[in-house]
Amino acid sequence: MEEGLGTSEQLPEDEGSDNEAASEEVFDITCNGIESDGDQVLNIEANELGTTAGQILEFESHAAEKNCDHVLNFESGAPRDNSHQLLEFHSNGLEDPRCGHTTIIDGHTGSSLGKSYPPPVVGMEFESYEDAYNYYNCYAKELGFAIRVKSSWTKRNSKEKRGAVLCCNCEGFKTMKEANSRRKETRTGCLAMVRLRLVESNRWRVDEVKLEHNHLFDPERVQNSKSHKKMDAGVKRKLEPAVDVEVRTIKLYRTPAVETPGEGSSDERAVSSQIDGSTRLKLKEGDTQVIYNFFCRVQLTKPNFFYIMDFNDEGYLKNVFWIHSRSRAAYAYFGDVVVVDTTCLSKKYDIPLLAFFGLNHHNETLLLGCSLLADESFETYVWLLRAWLSCMSGRPPQTIITDRCKALQNAISEVFPRAHHRLNLSIILDSIVNSVGEVGESEVFHEVLYNTVYSSLKIDEFEVAWEEMAQQFGCRGYGWFQSLYEDRERWAPIYMKDTFLAGISIDQRGEFICRFFDGFVHKQTNLREFFDIYDFVLQKNHQKEVLCDLDSKEFSPVLRTRCNYELQLSKLYTKEIFLKFLEEMALMSNCSGIAQIHANGPIITYMVKERGVQGDTSDARDLEVTYDKIGVEVQCMCSCFNFKGYLCRHALSVLNYNGIEEIPNHYILTRWRKDFKRLYAPELGSSNIDISNPVQLFDHLHRRAMQVVDEGMASPDHYMVAWQAFKESLNKVRLAADKRVS
């Protein structure tokens, strides 16, 4: 499933492999008078190729007959990993692009790559986007299907194209509105596609390929498609000048796309962007049966349990993803911020587990899906994120937090281009400490580092403090230290003030730690043990949420201040969130000396002076707070509301200073309320239902039924009404089915 993308998103910069040839051998074969039935075999052997040497084969045909076959056979007795090949297709434009059959032999395996246009594979590179499009279009026409541009991207603040997805014309389905039209249905939900990305500023690489179609080919019908008409029009234009016809060339590069690993750190795990066909999930004896038994058991006991399996070309299991109905429903309420936990992958646990988490209204970890992965490649992460997104009805998170894995980072840019991608701050701080050797063991360094990260109120302050820290402790010589600094906009709080984080990964000194499987999963935990405890941990988490709901409902705190804000939110917030908010209330006493420094109509800027934690004025600091009298909106430069989801002491002081007796409703988030009603059935808007998708039909009906159940539990009278409505509905459905049969 591909998320609809705009044209103004910025693709991640390619790390780039240094595969430029130091020297090139060029073999130029020109055939000007080839006979109709003649076959020519050009056999070029190279047994002592240098490590960086490149070989280029050029084939030109100026008067080739239609029945002529040419075979290019390239053999390399000792190929090197970073050698590359360039195959060029030349056509004088006088014939149909499908004519002039050319069989190409793979340089490494000696096997045939196809006819005139071999099937696309990951790692193919082209000189331009037009070359890549024309190649896939010609390949499609030869097979008998049409293509279209599903999505494309341009560089931010630029019209330069950076990436695109070309798909089969039968991709997707009609919407409900389109289904009512009289036009013949041609879409079958076909998944065949190629994804292209600009690399090294001058080449286009194939990053993902899906060759399988779910429909029959119709070469005659697709001749009238837009993509092939466009191609034929280009051929006609070249036919017009009968003299001196220009030669068309599509340059196809096939290179091994191997990225350079990071500097020995597990946080930025750079892996190959090309999946080996033999990649498979590393399972021990009996693990396959364990997975099968688990899925069978859960499907029988849990409604709407969902799982996806990914197999390689040899039929071996590569990746598995699963999610419970309760988790899917919870995402509708708490899906604003999602954490992707790759601890088991990065630290080489026995089980290759990846998990999605969120935070519920009690600030407790909430499971939003699990996966077992064969590797950490870009393609694997794209598959996983798309599988997860399809379970969430195509709704991406506002913010997604991960560790510093380049492949995962690029996959998020591809699947969630509009989401705020941030790095887990506690992991980054640990990486900084570990990257500077013995310096990282110093308590003084720890103190300076944390003050730099958490106490900086402006970007300039952070930049100066970081430079002083690097100079003081001699950190400039550590490459990984500098690399983390260059990625600071994804983890430093000062750069994330406009990002809502719900308290995740931003609390002081790494307070947020994934607690869902904490204490249950260890490095030696095997797959059988994991699935044995999985249901127990899930049930334990569910019971804890119920107990927290009851505890919050009965919670009646002793008020510490006379401020009405404390009384107001003690009735609304859950216990855990209220206690956190209470810390801000207690620190309001340290905020004094509120002074107006600027006014622009109803918008006033105040300077709030805050004394130290112990009331010491020596370490006091000034914070700007903006207040809008008309909208009753307040914004502090510390950005506590975006980071934690509730107002800070500085903003509360300004509201109190202006005589606002209650916190405005738009600053009391629903996700923190104790009276927040949650129906744990996936939510789908009626306008988004695909009537041909049985999963969406089930989700929609199940949710509506759960709403009746929830209301019907209010009282015996409500129960009787709901029960009667269910009986009547069942009779009507059966009656409609009987009429259809007759």
Side-chain angles (χ1 to χ4, degrees), residues 247-496:
V247 175
R248 286 195 309 115
T249 303
I250 296 177
K251 292 188 178 180
L252 163 63
Y253 298 81
R254 294 199 59 202
T255 63
V258 180
E259 297 180 4
T260 306
E263 300 177 30
S265 170
S266 62
D267 294 326
E268 187 174 10
R269 300 175 302 281
V271 295
S272 172
S273 63
Q274 181 176 2
I275 296 182
D276 185 358
S278 62
T279 299
R280 56 190 291 189
L281 197 59
K282 296 175 179 62
L283 300 176
K284 299 179 181 178
E285 185 177 355
D287 282 352
T288 303
Q289 190 65 38
V290 169
I291 296 174
Y292 174 78
N293 292 341
F294 170 74
F295 286 160
C296 289
R297 174 171 53 82
V298 176
Q299 280 188 311
L300 290 173
T301 58
K302 305 292 183 182
N304 207 19
F305 173 77
F306 185 92
Y307 72 90
I308 302 177
M309 290 185 172
D310 182 28
F311 296 88
N312 64 14
D313 294 338
E314 287 77 32
Y316 292 109
L317 185 63
K318 283 172 55 180
N319 309 299
V320 183
F321 170 75
W322 71 92
I323 185 171
H324 285 73
S325 175
R326 183 180 179 86
S327 295
R328 297 176 66 193
Y331 178 76
Y333 307 112
F334 308 112
D336 42 13
V337 184
V338 173
V339 179
V340 181
D341 185 4
T342 58
T343 302
C344 293
L345 297 175
S346 62
K347 297 187 177 179
K348 307 302 180 186
Y349 279 52
D350 279 357
I351 52 173
L353 176 70
L354 179 147
F356 296 89
F357 296 105
L359 280 188
N360 67 9
H361 53 313
H362 298 294
N363 202 47
E364 293 292 337
T365 309
L366 184 72
L367 185 63
L368 297 176
C370 288
S371 182
L372 301 175
L373 302 180
D375 60 22
E376 295 181 81
S377 67
F378 170 80
E379 287 78 7
T380 294
Y381 281 131
V382 167
W383 175 88
L384 172 64
L385 295 178
R386 286 177 177 164
W388 183 81
L389 186 63
S390 66
C391 294
M392 303 307 183
S393 303
R395 175 191 161 195
Q398 296 178 26
T399 303
I400 187 164
I401 300 173
T402 70
D403 68 353
R404 196 168 182 252
C405 173
K406 186 63 68 175
L408 179 55
Q409 180 176 321
N410 291 341
I412 290 172
S413 297
E414 167 73 15
V415 184
F416 305 137
R418 294 177 180 83
H420 298 286
H421 180 207
R422 300 294 179 254
L423 304 179
N424 192 307
L425 182 55
S426 60
I427 294 178
I428 293 296
L429 291 177
D430 287 343
S431 297
I432 293 174
V433 170
N434 294 330
S435 70
V436 293
E438 295 181 358
V439 175
E441 300 176 4
S442 167
E443 292 186 5
V444 177
F445 176 77
H446 284 212
E447 194 66 29
V448 173
L449 173 62
Y450 289 125
N451 286 336
T452 300
V453 172
Y454 288 111
S455 300
S456 299
L457 293 175
K458 296 181 179 180
I459 293 178
D460 291 344
E461 290 181 19
F462 175 81
E463 303 281 357
V464 171
W466 185 277
E467 181 64 24
E468 291 177 350
M469 177 182 65
Q471 185 173 356
Q472 178 183 351
F473 296 96
C475 300
R476 290 175 178 169
Y478 297 97
W480 190 248
F481 177 86
Q482 183 61 27
S483 174
L484 290 168
Y485 172 71
E486 291 172 357
D487 215 8
R488 62 193 179 280
E489 293 185 7
R490 291 189 182 273
W491 57 263
I494 192 63
Y495 294 96
M496 301 190 296

Side-chain angles (χ1 to χ4, degrees), residues 53 132 191 253 266 269 330 339 450 470 498 532 538 559 607 627 641 714 720:
L191 298 178
Y253 298 81
S266 62
R269 300 175 302 281
V339 179
Y450 289 125
D498 295 329
D532 285 343
L538 213 63
L559 303 182
M607 185 67 73
Y627 175 65
F641 183 77
M720 292 304 299

